[in-house]
Amino acid sequence: MTRSHTNQLTMTRDLVNKRLHPTCSASVGASLTATDDVKPWLSPSGDFAFGFQRIQGKDSFVLSVWYDKIPDKTIVWYPQTYAMVSRGSKVELINGCGLVLKDPQGREVWYTSISVSDVACGFMNDTGNFVILGNNSGKVWESSNSPADTILPAQVLEAEGEINSRKSKTDFSRGRFQLRMLQDGNLVLRPRDISSNFSLYAYYTSDTYDANNSTNSGHRLIFDSTGYMYILRKNGQRFDLTPRGRLPSGDYYHRATLDSDGLFTQYYYPKNPTGNASWVDLWFVPSLNDSVNARSVCSLDGNRPKCECPEGFSLLDSSDLIGDCKPDFTPTCYEGYAGDQFDFIGLDNIDWPGSVYANILANNEQSCNISCKEDCLCAVAIFKDGECRKKALPLFNGRKVTDSVSKKKPKNPYPSSKVVETNLPHFTYQELVEATNGFRDELGRGAFGIVYKGVIGANVVAVKKLDRVVQDGEKEFQTEVNAIAKTHHKNLVKLLGYCDDGEQRLLVYEYMNNDTLAAFLFREMKPSWTQRSYIAVGIAKGLAYLHEACSTQIIHCDIKPQNILLDEYYNARISDFGLAKLLSMNQSRTNTGLRGTKGYVAPEWFRNAPVTVKVDVYSFGVLLLEIVSCRKSVKAYESGDVYGVVILTDWAWDCYQEKRLDAIVEDDSEAIDDVKKVTTFLKVGLWCVQENPGLRPTMREVVQMLEGVVEVKEPPCPFPFSVTYN
């Protein structure tokens, strides 16, 4: 087909789309580029615009929807996952994809998720909703279904729907507060930990959940076209949020925004202003008596929070006046700790609810202070009604109260010790019982315990209930949790919290929705070689980080496909790292009584030889051979009356020696076409499974070889000695 014919077909399709969809402002192929003079796509009335706005005081832009007739161009929608872009970025309406946002180098940074292959056009409507239509004239995407920090009239927030604040007026990345319509019928406001995306305890709840009469529970949040916001109950009754009779008479714009300071506020603005006009708040939650800030102490000055850090703390970011507070000293615990380097500051009418890790009986405030002083974890002691409540860092939701509070502070600044307290949330056992619905939904079992699916706040989590820890394992548990909490790598599963309540030891992890590598690898249809090779490199990088980049070296001791999880983008995420030390020897098994799993354990486990990071290298070598071949490390077979097992490492060496790579990848055309990389991966795997640990490469060297940075030499026979697994 010639170019002229192609252009003619495109013009014809555009004309057809304009006849079928006269409101469409963007046909397939239409685009906007982030520059100062770019003209947006307007709604029919001109009230709303879609396009790029330059961020005040910055040479960057935000893809957004805004009120175009208001002088400050108030933004009401933006993509939360990637809002701010550089000058020269481009958004385009593409067939089969919808809106696609690319940076100046042409890399995709955000796109709409649509369920059809054909896109007709897009348009900005007069309710502030940008809509993409399919060729059947049906809506295939609309911005109102993916709200940012604002809800507009005619918009509905269904159960499990949410909006999130931005960090600040000029920072459109996701902030520290979230409004969510829970499945149980409650509308809640919660602070969230920005680094982990972990929701904390609610500082506001609508109380529209009825345990005795489920039909009276809330169902959805509605912001109707007249400007009233309410929660519609399942029985059809309303719970009003906008006070009756409070709406101003006349013609106004309305919006409800979760602001960066944590207040959810409904605003109005005159459509035909006289003189200088501004947005006026109609109502807001929470009330004046509630605090909304995550880690500083707040009260309300007029309608907005006024927050400050207590003595001994300062703002983490001096430009964020309602931001997190950090200690001006380094909290430490160490062997022989006696607390003699601390004294106390008395804080009047302040508390941090939800940070309690221990309640003890105390005769008076002085005995409570002594107990806190001698406890290296204790940062705050609150004495009330004969009870001493001890609280650890980090402190959340600071607010004014009437209790007597003593806060520990160092007598003099001192250096950090080897053990640093974790900033992870601490959960009680009962909280995790409720989060997992009584440990009902089992995700899997392993050497370290059973994993259950749970929900904490707005987050789906995986809760690992550990088997018996080593005798006198409290210090060991704390040390390992601290070590795990300090790891930050994209190929490791993130630890979100923990429980050490009585004899119970549980760990709360982020939930991986694409299951384990075992489920991905050993299925009927072989996964693509490109995916497999990408996953292999990711695992290698995660292990290299554990071995060399952590402040405390971590040996995993149980690398196998079941302990590699896959996130929503099929990135490999290593789980269970650092747990082997927590369990008694007979708990970190399998039948051999050794740490590790049969088929993956290094020979030194059987020889009472020193255990080093090279045991992980061996296990990774077995895993790498599994990834290349999609075969299990140990496979039983039956031939007539003969029964036996095939050991993958033996078989892979035989195939390599006999130059039978076709047998290794077996009918995998994609891998066969990439024979150079397959050969590299096979050779690396054989180097890793050498019986002599000294011949095995480090994981850093493994990464370099897999990525082609370092040449891979010919491996020797991995097993010059026989090994018995019985």
Side-chain angles (χ1 to χ4, degrees), residues 490 529-539 569-572:
K490 70 175 184 177
W529 166 242
T530 300
Q531 276 188 310
R532 286 164 22 225
S533 59
Y534 173 75
I535 288 170
V537 174
I539 299 168
Y569 302 109
Y570 288 90
N571 293 305

Side-chain angles (χ1 to χ4, degrees), residues 283-304:
W283 61 268
F284 58 86
V285 288
S287 67
L288 292 174
N289 294 324
D290 291 322
S291 98
V292 299
N293 188 259
R295 293 178 185 170
S296 50
V297 179
C298 301
S299 57
L300 287 174
D301 182 10
N303 292 344
R304 314 311 302 182

Side-chain angles (χ1 to χ4, degrees), residues 651-671:
W651 177 79
W653 171 251
D654 290 342
C655 290
Y656 177 73
Q657 281 285 88
E658 297 165 10
K659 296 183 170 34
R660 293 190 293 116
L661 291 184
D662 57 326
I664 291 284
V665 295
E666 192 181 15
D667 300 327
D668 187 340
S669 58
E670 184 186 2

Side-chain angles (χ1 to χ4, degrees), residues 499-698:
C499 168
D500 57 352
D501 192 347
E503 295 184 356
Q504 303 293 341
R505 300 291 180 270
L506 301 94
L507 298 174
V508 181
Y509 292 100
E510 57 183 336
Y511 175 72
M512 298 287 107
N513 56 1
N514 274 320
D515 210 339
T516 67
L517 177 60
F520 174 78
L521 206 57
F522 307 128
R523 59 189 186 185
E524 186 174 347
M525 182 174 292
K526 188 179 293 187
S528 78
W529 166 242
T530 300
Q531 276 188 310
R532 286 164 22 225
S533 59
Y534 173 75
I535 288 170
V537 174
I539 299 168
K541 288 181 177 179
L543 279 175
Y545 173 85
L546 291 176
H547 291 177
E548 299 185 25
C550 292
S551 56
T552 301
Q553 185 183 69
I554 295 177
I555 306 175
H556 190 287
C557 294
D558 200 17
I559 289 295
K560 58 183 178 180
Q562 291 80 5
N563 283 338
I564 308 299
L565 304 181
L566 302 176
D567 67 15
E568 59 183 325
Y569 302 109
Y570 288 90
N571 293 305
R573 309 283 286 273
I574 301 172
S575 68
D576 280 359
F577 52 89
L579 297 191
K581 294 180 183 177
L582 295 179
L583 304 184
S584 305
M585 184 65 75
N586 63 355
Q587 293 294 315
S588 52
R589 48 119 156 68
T590 54
N591 297 331
T592 60
L594 303 174
R595 287 176 177 166
T597 299
K598 184 176 180 180
Y600 302 90
V601 291
E604 50 264 44
W605 283 114
F606 304 95
R607 298 172 180 163
N608 294 321
V611 172
T612 68
V613 292
K614 293 299 182 74
V615 300
D616 284 349
V617 177
Y618 184 94
S619 300
F620 174 79
V622 179
L623 182 62
L624 182 58
L625 296 176
E626 289 183 314
I627 290 173
V628 172
S629 65
C630 292
R631 289 171 174 253
K632 294 184 178 180
S633 61
V634 179
K635 183 179 180 181
Y637 71 88
E638 177 181 354
S639 178
D641 295 330
V642 179
Y643 299 88
V645 294
V646 175
I647 305 299
L648 178 61
T649 51
D650 296 357
W651 177 79
W653 171 251
D654 290 342
C655 290
Y656 177 73
Q657 281 285 88
E658 297 165 10
K659 296 183 170 34
R660 293 190 293 116
L661 291 184
D662 57 326
I664 291 284
V665 295
E666 192 181 15
D667 300 327
D668 187 340
S669 58
E670 184 186 2
I672 292 171
D673 290 341
D674 196 9
V675 64
K676 183 178 179 181
K677 181 181 283 189
V678 170
T679 303
T680 296
F681 277 42
L682 178 58
K683 289 163 67 175
V684 172
L686 293 172
W687 273 111
C688 290
V689 297
Q690 295 291 316
E691 280 193 7
N692 181 354
L695 293 180
R696 298 173 206 156
T698 65

Side-chain angles (χ1 to χ4, degrees), residues 86-274:
S86 304
R87 179 184 296 273
S89 297
K90 179 180 178 181
V91 65
E92 184 177 5
L93 187 63
I94 298 177
N95 194 32
C97 300
L99 292 171
V100 177
L101 177 62
K102 297 181 180 180
D103 66 14
Q105 288 72 44
R107 295 183 293 245
E108 290 186 8
V109 296
W110 174 82
Y111 58 89
T112 55
S113 178
I114 62 174
S115 58
V116 298
S117 58
D118 291 327
V119 170
C121 63
F123 66 92
M124 185 75 250
N125 71 19
D126 282 329
T127 64
N129 185 22
F130 189 86
V131 177
I132 299 176
L133 296 178
N135 281 331
N136 62 356
S137 299
K139 296 178 181 179
V140 297
W141 184 86
E142 44 192 324
S143 60
S144 63
N145 288 338
S146 305
D149 63 352
T150 296
I151 303 176
L152 297 174
Q155 197 164 348
V156 175
L157 202 63
E158 301 285 356
E160 298 305 320
E162 66 181 49
I163 63 173
N164 293 275
S165 67
R166 64 180 85 161
K167 277 190 176 179
S168 68
K169 186 177 181 180
T170 58
D171 187 344
F172 288 80
S173 53
R174 191 171 294 181
R176 62 174 58 86
F177 302 105
Q178 181 184 85
L179 177 139
R180 190 174 184 88
M181 188 70 209
L182 298 183
Q183 194 72 44
D184 68 8
N186 273 323
L187 182 72
V188 298
L189 285 168
R190 287 190 171 109
R192 52 179 288 275
D193 182 76
I194 292 177
S195 62
S196 67
N197 195 31
F198 196 81
S199 297
L200 305 170
Y201 293 102
Y203 58 87
Y204 165 83
T205 179
S206 62
D207 293 327
T208 48
Y209 168 66
D210 187 347
N212 299 318
N213 178 12
S214 60
T215 62
N216 197 42
S217 294
H219 183 45
R220 55 167 61 101
L221 177 67
I222 295 178
F223 198 2
D224 70 23
S225 58
T226 67
Y228 275 101
M229 181 175 287
Y230 56 90
I231 297 172
L232 182 67
R233 299 182 187 269
K234 292 180 180 178
N235 58 14
Q237 296 180 355
R238 292 169 44 156
F239 175 84
D240 288 327
L241 293 170
T242 306
R244 284 287 165 182
R246 288 280 299 276
L247 283 178
S249 58
D251 206 7
Y252 290 88
Y253 297 117
H254 290 273
R255 65 179 170 94
T257 300
L258 179 56
D259 292 312
S260 57
D261 57 15
L263 290 186
F264 182 53
T265 306
Q266 182 175 341
Y267 297 93
Y268 64 92
Y269 189 101
K271 290 188 177 181
N272 300 297
T274 56

